[in-house]
Amino acid sequence: GKTNITDADNALNILRYFTGTPTVVIVKHNNPCGVAQQDTLADAYREAYLADRVAAFGGCIAANRSIDLATAKEIDQQYAEVVVAPDFEKGVMDIFAKKKNLRVIRIGNIDRLQDFVGKRFVDFKSLIDGGVVAQWSFVPEMAIKDFQFIPAQCEYKGKTYRIERAPTKRECDDMRFGWLVESGITTNAVMYVKN
């Protein structure tokens, strides 16, 4: 259905920013409910799923690596409607074939997603009355590799307020990760990012 396709598309929209490390994006109703990077794809899936298990129910799981048996067994424990990956290792489809309503999409050139980082495209939305909204897609400045954070400060009633300490490198990495994920959110957002 349309929701499954748009969930897969938005998962890929987010996944394009994360290429170097095994990454999993889970999208439900066109918004990410879990995104994680880990040393293994199975660990990335587990962390993404645990971010919001309730919202992940019936969602779309997208991975930037081939689904291996360990990851397939993890996915098999939950209800998902779509799995998107560049490939599926031997035995994985046997596991997925047992799931009644699972759609599996192989995108062999998923590594080309990074070619679209920083590039705009025309985004179309059809309206019920036959109208069409056409707008440029959003490109987050955070996608720029050498993006520098500027410490927060403001002036209020003649006094300047500044942060008390600069963020650590780990905190900056988390903020960057969160902002890139946020670029795929289609509504107001509250996000928690750690490690």
Side-chain angles (χ1 to χ4, degrees), residues 98-115:
K98 296 175 187 172
K99 303 205 60 95
K100 184 178 178 183
N101 291 316
L102 181 65
R103 292 122 185 112
V104 178
I105 302 172
R106 182 176 66 84
I107 301 180
N109 60 355
I110 206 166
D111 59 325
R112 288 196 53 227
L113 287 175
Q114 63 188 350
D115 294 347

Side-chain angles (χ1 to χ4, degrees), residues 29 51 134 168:
H29 294 158
T168 65

Side-chain angles (χ1 to χ4, degrees), residues 17-33:
Y17 298 113
F18 305 105
T19 57
T21 304
T23 305
V24 172
V25 176
I26 303 175
V27 172
K28 177 71 178 280
H29 294 158
N30 213 27
N31 283 300
C33 53

Side-chain angles (χ1 to χ4, degrees), residues 68-87:
D68 55 22
L69 283 172
T71 307
K73 288 175 183 175
E74 291 283 338
I75 292 170
D76 188 47
Q77 299 301 308
Q78 284 77 40
Y79 175 65
E81 290 196 359
V82 180
V83 176
V84 179
D87 211 346

Side-chain angles (χ1 to χ4, degrees), residues 10 13-18 32 35 37 117 138-144 146-152 163 167-187 189-194:
N10 203 33
N13 178 41
I14 296 166
L15 200 58
R16 69 180 154 166
Y17 298 113
F18 305 105
V35 181
Q37 293 182 301
V117 171
F138 173 70
V139 175
E141 287 185 35
M142 194 60 54
I144 301 167
D146 60 349
F147 181 87
Q148 297 296 314
F149 289 98
I150 300 170
I163 62 170
T168 65
K169 180 178 181 332
R170 179 77 247 178
E171 290 167 334
C172 287
D173 290 346
D174 285 351
M175 284 189 284
R176 184 177 193 281
F177 180 90
W179 265 321
L180 291 172
V181 171
E182 192 275 336
S183 71
I185 294 177
T186 58
T187 186
V190 174
M191 295 178 55
Y192 297 93
V193 179
K194 185 171 182 178

Side-chain angles (χ1 to χ4, degrees), residues 125-133:
K125 168 72 174 149
S126 300
L127 304 177
I128 193 73
D129 66 354
V132 175
V133 175

